[in-house]
Amino acid sequence: MKTYEAIGAIETFGLVFVLEACDAMCKAANVELVGYENVASGYISVIVQGDVAACQSAVEAGIAAVENLGANVYSSVVIASPHADLNKMIDRYRLSDLLPVEEGDA
């Protein structure tokens, strides 16, 4: 199990805003997009992992991107040195687990 120095997350309302946030986050810093979760009633959270500075830059860029579209970020967080047990929760939202396996990929 790969361990990271930090995780960052943004939660906002709507797929369009989450896509914009993810794009900005991945372009702004050397982070890995871990996954997403459709929380409830249209709120969607996205999670990135990387070093602390990269996660901080990514989250800031994601927030700015959402706000530039006239929307609001419901919440955001950067957790430095996350406890190893957080992987148990984060693994549930990994893109590899959320997306269907295509023929030939298995």
Side-chain angles (χ1 to χ4, degrees):
M1 180 180 326
K2 192 171 184 180
T3 303
Y4 291 87
E5 291 182 32
I7 58 173
I10 290 178
E11 185 171 281
T12 190
F13 186 82
L15 181 61
V16 171
F17 302 121
V18 166
L19 288 173
E20 184 70 15
C22 288
D23 184 58
M25 292 169 83
C26 291
K27 288 177 178 175
N30 184 21
V31 293
E32 175 189 354
L33 176 61
V34 175
Y36 70 96
E37 170 68 4
N38 188 351
V39 182
S41 302
Y43 284 97
I44 304 172
S45 297
V46 292
I47 304 166
V48 296
Q49 293 180 320
D51 67 44
V52 177
C55 285
Q56 187 65 47
S57 294
V59 168
E60 289 172 4
I63 291 169
V66 170
E67 290 175 347
N68 285 340
L69 290 176
N72 296 314
V73 171
Y74 179 70
S75 62
S76 65
V77 68
V78 173
I79 301 173
S81 303
H83 190 280
D85 282 351
L86 284 182
N87 281 326
K88 295 173 185 174
M89 188 172 105
I90 292 170
D91 286 346
R92 178 174 185 241
Y93 303 108
R94 290 204 180 276
L95 290 173
S96 59
D97 293 337
L98 295 172
L99 300 175
V101 176
E102 296 182 20
E103 286 186 39
D105 288 347

